[in-house]
Amino acid sequence: MDARDEEPVILQKEQDESHLAEKVDAIRRACDLGDLDALVSHARSEGGFLRDDLRQLAWPILLRCQQARRDDDKDWNELPRHADEDQVQLDVHRSFVYYPSGTDEELSKKKDELSNVITNVLRNYPYLCYFQGYHDIVQVLLLVLGEKQAAPAVTQISLFRIRDYMLPSLKPSLKHLQIIPAIIERADPGLRQHLSDVRPFFALAATLTLYAHDIQEYSDIARLFDFLLAHEPVVPIYLFAAIILSRKKELLEIPVDEPEMMHFTLSKLPSPLDLDGLIQSAVQLFNDYPPESLPFGVWKQIPACSVLKSSRDPFREQTAKNAVKLFDQQTRQLRNDELRKKALGLLWTHRKAIGSVVVAVFVGAVSIWIRKKGFDASIWSYMGNFKAAFEDRFF
């Protein structure tokens, strides 16, 4: 390549460097001003916040970490142990599998820090239930922010972004997944029909951990967190729908009578991931088909106390006290649903005995009414036949 051929390449490189420098200055300025709209725009744009030193400025603003510091002023070392701490230690022991690289001593130090951050949050908010994969989320925040800044960030993301996943049951999480086929139905009914025999459980690991369990490149997960932390809690679900739509050709090649293969394919994220392209697609899906417009009544089935609805504006100042109230409300709903399910199961198990009693009471009541009205004897035969037919049909 002679000098004349090199000139366009050099010029393009200089332009790219100038553009990046301008973006760095713009991100710093937005952080200084607390300009949330500007930060959201930068989080969506190519490369997100670009570097960890900029993320250290932007993420605490997006997560409202100053509020966490006001709410959380207790020394976690002096608080009672959380019930899930043994499981925390098991997961911490197998953390940092893909990143960062370092000596055994350095990784051991990081694991201690990870344990400290998780234990800090769980002891300060003991009603939160740890779930496997939570440590994947926390380790991203820890690596970007450091131990001191990570604790309030993890508090905020736990209370106001992933609270539904920290309930005593994962049933609300499974209900979240029903939003995915509803989005696909609106965006591409043909693809939705092709996937109709596959339940959306394939997306649980990715959405539960904000993709931190599935993405193996540190630069990719840090960049993705730029986007996710700048948007409301339902957006990770739209992102998974965008991933499915991006794989339409591959998925249509899998026969509909092979649901296991379909599930296996969908449960693995494509590699490589076009993160910037997928982010733009997710934003477009959200704008075109907001949650309230989705079919199958999926949004109505999400309770008002769910984090998906209570954090529609992720930057609205909320208190830990309010989060506790919503958590308790949702826990009571879960308990009532479980009791209702057990009661219905009991009724079904003993349906014959219960049915006979119900029919006997009904026939007795009608008999009294017949006597009072003075109908002839033929109707008594009819009532006997009705009782026999009812018991034969339903019991």
Side-chain angles (χ1 to χ4, degrees), residues 262-324:
M262 195 84 74
H263 181 97
F264 176 80
T265 302
L266 288 165
S267 65
K268 303 294 182 182
L269 296 184
S271 181
L273 274 175
D274 174 20
L275 280 179
D276 287 312
L278 290 170
I279 284 169
Q280 297 308 314
S281 297
V283 171
Q284 190 64 52
L285 284 174
F286 183 83
N287 291 337
D288 290 346
Y289 316 115
E292 299 86 352
S293 72
L294 296 176
F296 313 137
V298 292
W299 191 245
K300 290 181 180 178
Q301 294 171 25
I302 304 294
C305 52
S306 166
V307 75
L308 295 192
K309 287 188 173 178
S310 64
S311 293
R312 289 304 308 272
D313 178 359
F315 309 128
R316 178 174 62 88
E317 189 166 302
Q318 301 184 65
T319 65
K321 184 177 180 180
N322 186 54
V324 173

Side-chain angles (χ1 to χ4, degrees), residues 5 23 49 72 75 92 94 114 136 139 170-171 183 203 273 287 318 355 368 386 394:
D5 293 329
K23 185 175 181 180
F49 295 135
D72 180 14
D75 182 355
V92 166
R94 51 177 173 255
L114 179 63
D136 293 310
Q139 74 178 27
L170 282 179
K171 288 182 180 179
I183 298 170
L273 274 175
N287 291 337
Q318 301 184 65
I368 294 171
F386 165 79
F394 293 102

Side-chain angles (χ1 to χ4, degrees), residues 48-76:
F49 295 135
L50 302 174
R51 308 188 316 228
D52 280 359
D53 62 312
L54 298 175
R55 294 183 176 106
Q56 290 164 10
L57 299 175
W59 286 10
I61 295 172
L62 294 173
L63 288 171
R64 297 294 197 182
C65 287
Q66 190 58 42
Q67 176 65 43
R69 292 189 180 95
R70 292 199 298 270
D71 288 341
D72 180 14
D73 57 359
K74 299 175 184 176
D75 182 355
W76 64 271

Side-chain angles (χ1 to χ4, degrees), residues 215-235:
I215 294 179
Q216 301 178 9
E217 293 294 328
Y218 173 71
S219 58
D220 285 345
I221 192 58
R223 188 271 169 275
L224 182 57
F225 266 46
D226 293 341
F227 171 66
L228 297 181
L229 299 185
H231 294 81
E232 62 180 272
V234 75
V235 165

Side-chain angles (χ1 to χ4, degrees), residues 8 20 43 45 112 119 129 142 203 252 257 296 324 367 370 382:
L20 287 177
S45 64
D112 288 342
T119 307
C129 300
L142 173 65
L252 289 178
D257 58 356
F296 313 137
V324 173
S367 298
I370 290 171
Y382 173 81

Side-chain angles (χ1 to χ4, degrees), residues 36-235:
L36 292 169
D37 290 338
L39 288 176
V40 170
S41 179
H42 291 310
R44 292 179 179 179
S45 64
E46 185 176 356
F49 295 135
L50 302 174
R51 308 188 316 228
D52 280 359
D53 62 312
L54 298 175
R55 294 183 176 106
Q56 290 164 10
L57 299 175
W59 286 10
I61 295 172
L62 294 173
L63 288 171
R64 297 294 197 182
C65 287
Q66 190 58 42
Q67 176 65 43
R69 292 189 180 95
R70 292 199 298 270
D71 288 341
D72 180 14
D73 57 359
K74 299 175 184 176
D75 182 355
W76 64 271
N77 288 290
E78 298 177 359
L79 296 173
R81 279 176 56 88
H82 189 279
D84 298 331
E85 286 188 32
D86 288 341
Q87 183 61 53
V88 170
Q89 292 310 312
L90 290 174
D91 286 352
V92 166
H93 181 70
R94 51 177 173 255
S95 60
F96 302 112
V97 175
Y98 302 115
Y99 51 79
S101 57
T103 64
D104 290 343
E105 184 178 352
E106 290 169 336
L107 289 178
S108 178
K109 183 175 184 295
K110 283 296 177 191
K111 289 180 180 181
D112 288 342
E113 292 175 354
L114 179 63
S115 176
N116 290 343
V117 172
I118 295 174
T119 307
N120 182 340
V121 175
L122 292 180
R123 288 191 183 181
N124 272 286
Y125 302 95
Y127 59 88
L128 294 176
C129 300
Y130 176 83
F131 62 88
Q132 287 185 275
Y134 181 77
H135 71 290
D136 293 310
I137 297 173
V138 177
Q139 74 178 27
V140 177
L141 295 167
L142 173 65
L143 291 173
V144 170
L145 300 175
E147 183 178 355
K148 185 176 181 180
Q149 273 197 303
V154 174
T155 295
Q156 291 298 93
I157 206 170
S158 300
L159 296 179
F160 306 114
R161 303 299 184 99
I162 60 170
R163 188 178 66 242
D164 287 12
Y165 305 148
M166 305 191 78
L167 288 158
S169 167
L170 282 179
K171 288 182 180 179
S173 311
L174 302 180
K175 193 173 290 186
H176 291 189
L177 299 182
Q178 300 304 322
I179 296 173
I180 294 174
I183 298 170
I184 304 298
E185 173 68 23
R186 291 295 307 275
D188 192 326
L191 180 58
R192 157 68 182 135
Q193 180 61 36
H194 187 71
L195 302 176
S196 60
D197 289 337
V198 185
R199 303 181 73 181
F201 299 153
F202 50 75
L204 182 61
T207 54
L208 193 70
T209 64
L210 303 183
Y211 300 85
H213 180 74
D214 294 69
I215 294 179
Q216 301 178 9
E217 293 294 328
Y218 173 71
S219 58
D220 285 345
I221 192 58
R223 188 271 169 275
L224 182 57
F225 266 46
D226 293 341
F227 171 66
L228 297 181
L229 299 185
H231 294 81
E232 62 180 272
V234 75
V235 165

